[in-house]
Amino acid sequence: MSLMMKTEELAASIPNGSTIALVGFGGMGQCDKILKAIGRRFKETGTPNNLTVFHTAGQSDRQNGIEYIAEEGLISRVIGGHWGLAPKLRRLIEENKVECYCWPQGQLTHLLRAMANKLPGQISPVGIGTFVDPRIDGGKFNEKTQSQKDLVTLLEIEGQELLLYASIPFDYVFIRGTSIDEDGNITTEEEPLKLEILSAAQAAKAYGGKVISQVKYVAKKDSMHPKEVVVPGYLVDGFVVADHPETEHRQVPSTVFSPVFSGDLKTPTGSLPPIPLDARKVIGRRATLELGKKSVVNLGIGIPGDVIGPITNEEGIGQDLILTLESGIIGGVPIGANEFGVARNASAILDHEYLFDYYHGAGVDVTFMGAAEVDELGNVNVSKFGNRAVGCGGFIDITQSAKKVVFCTTFTGGAKSLIQHGEVLILQQGTIKKFTKQVNQITFSGEYAAKHNQEVMYVTERAVFVLTKEGLLLTEIAPGIDLQKDVLDLMEFKPIIADTLKEMDNRIFKEGIMNISHSRFIREEEKSVHPNTRTLVSGLD
């Protein structure tokens, strides 16, 4: 039987220098009661300290989760995938107060399974040609880490380049469920996501680590349906009960519990209001024109996660698609913003790591991803730009394997525009150039994509580009946009200009629905020639 614990006792039992693993996704699934207690004890006593923290996805919605332990001295090393919504921890990384390794999220989830088998690490081609490649940075994410041990190794097996992500033995792993019975069996009936709690528990056990769960309810022995048990009791060493779920165990940041997010209640999608017609919606609308019926689709955080789902719902084409989120969500209408990772009316909620199996193996038909920087080789940076160390999340895993990649980004940073009368009116040019000579960090390798004949597009509110073996090809421009002044003058390199440069579909810039399902969605005769084989012409002087 698992031991019920007080969080104060748990925090006091963690030795200095321990390696702890966390499970969660954005603002969901973290063991907030446990992490609050660890952070509080450190502030009061200075212990535990010098912890290594391992996690897969981001672990905060800007306030909760890993932010409770983001203290200098408490953490000495972090190995994870994303810190975009964890400002305190991100500052520790940016200011070189902690060592930081950033690895692809899917590789981190699969590493848990490799560790559960007590293997030396996770082997995959994912990451080749990016900052994770040891020939570039090896995933070392700040200056403090550069002199530290290499944890990613380049291998060659039967002529194929692969990366080995080293196993990281855990002393503790903190997982979250909804209920635990007297035998320690854990269920997740009120959680919005399953995540990787079973793999994480087995990974800890393989190296003698302890598994501690946070739950809301304690159930009677033999009261759980065996198929509902996600983590069997023999893996669980102890648990804490969240007596105040409104502050310690929220289902999602906006609510303590809703049956909509646990999949127990479906809501009429027609009741969802349309999103406003602005630059983000224009980008999303153009991107959706790349969809085909029955496409299996992935949506990334940012513009894709915020607008693609609502647009497909508004256009009435959601039933013709299979939208997925890397958290394990299949179907439904994604929520977006700081609740990225959950959806209304999901048709299935898979374990986190199993959806990455599909992403890596089969590859989605199309993924929509954000972009902070794009260079003349088609490389994309979303992980580290300016003084922001955000991380890659599942971006590398998904983009490297997808059949088609559509990057969705505003053309410049800080621009102000207005969509009116079917045109884009630029009110103020952005001061941050996103189409740069060379990206600060390679999160997506244009060279790797071109070599493997991957179809890649870059969609903005004023222009559309595709990747070719010769570089970026400008294929479309928005109505109301001046090619020279509003596009070329704001790029640090000259793109190739298509000899058939055309205006973007004018329906994108008008109020009301586009009627995608009755026009372009998607007729075979309208599919474009693969960009790596199209005819090119010289760029403008």
Side-chain angles (χ1 to χ4, degrees), residues 85-300:
L85 298 179
K88 284 179 62 181
L89 183 55
R90 196 178 69 236
R91 281 195 297 272
L92 293 181
I93 295 168
E94 293 164 353
E95 295 172 4
N96 287 294
K97 301 293 179 60
V98 297
E99 296 170 15
C100 180
Y101 295 84
C102 181
W103 294 351
Q105 183 176 316
Q107 299 311 300
L108 290 161
T109 67
H110 287 175
L111 177 60
L112 294 173
R113 293 197 306 213
M115 289 170 58
N117 286 276
K118 219 163 189 179
L119 298 173
Q122 158 69 8
I123 298 176
S124 173
V126 171
I128 293 290
T130 74
F131 74 91
V132 182
D133 193 316
R135 291 167 294 190
I136 302 177
D137 289 324
K140 296 178 180 180
F141 210 53
N142 60 5
E143 185 179 346
K144 186 179 180 68
T145 318
Q146 296 305 313
S147 61
Q148 301 303 312
K149 180 181 179 181
D150 292 332
L151 298 181
V152 181
T153 305
L154 179 67
L155 306 176
E156 184 174 316
I157 299 177
E158 296 184 351
Q160 182 181 12
E161 291 185 337
L162 299 164
L163 298 180
L164 171 67
Y165 296 85
S167 291
I168 311 292
F170 307 147
D171 298 301
Y172 293 84
V173 63
F174 303 130
I175 63 175
R176 183 172 124 170
T178 301
S179 303
I180 190 168
D181 70 8
E182 293 175 309
D183 285 331
N185 298 306
I186 296 171
T187 58
T188 58
E189 65 270 24
E190 290 187 7
E191 302 302 315
L193 303 168
K194 289 182 178 178
L195 299 178
E196 64 275 15
I197 60 175
L198 176 58
S199 294
Q202 295 191 140
K205 283 298 180 183
Y207 291 89
K210 294 182 178 180
V211 178
I212 310 296
S213 179
Q214 177 178 303
V215 297
K216 291 173 71 175
Y217 313 116
V218 180
K220 187 178 178 181
K221 179 184 177 72
D222 295 328
S223 62
M224 293 177 170
H225 193 289
K227 288 185 178 178
E228 300 301 318
V229 173
V230 179
V231 179
Y234 66 85
L235 292 174
V236 182
D237 296 287
F239 67 94
V240 301
V241 177
D243 300 307
H244 304 285
E246 67 277 4
T247 58
E248 300 170 343
H249 201 110
R250 297 180 72 84
Q251 185 191 43
V252 298
S254 64
T255 187
V256 178
F257 172 72
S258 167
V260 171
F261 299 128
S262 59
D264 296 308
L265 178 67
K266 298 292 179 74
T267 57
T269 55
S271 65
L272 301 177
I275 58 177
L277 183 58
D278 57 12
R280 289 164 61 86
K281 186 171 185 177
V282 163
I283 294 165
R285 279 180 155 186
R286 175 60 187 86
T288 59
L289 295 182
E290 297 306 310
L291 291 167
K293 282 192 175 182
K294 303 305 178 185
S295 290
V296 179
V297 181
N298 165 266
L299 302 180

Side-chain angles (χ1 to χ4, degrees), residues 22-32 35-36 53-70 75 78 80-91 93 105 176 193 195-196 250-254 301 336-341 388 390:
L22 311 179
V23 178
F25 191 100
M28 290 73 71
Q30 293 90 356
C31 299
D32 284 347
L35 297 176
K36 282 181 181 178
V53 178
F54 176 101
H55 62 92
T56 60
Q59 297 286 301
S60 177
D61 71 335
R62 296 189 180 91
Q63 300 179 51
N64 64 2
I66 204 168
E67 293 289 88
Y68 294 125
I69 60 171
I75 299 175
V78 61
H82 197 263
W83 303 277
L85 298 179
K88 284 179 62 181
L89 183 55
R90 196 178 69 236
R91 281 195 297 272
I93 295 168
Q105 183 176 316
R176 183 172 124 170
L193 303 168
L195 299 178
E196 64 275 15
R250 297 180 72 84
Q251 185 191 43
V252 298
S254 64
I301 195 169
N338 70 334
E339 292 179 343
F340 172 77
R388 289 171 56 85
V390 174

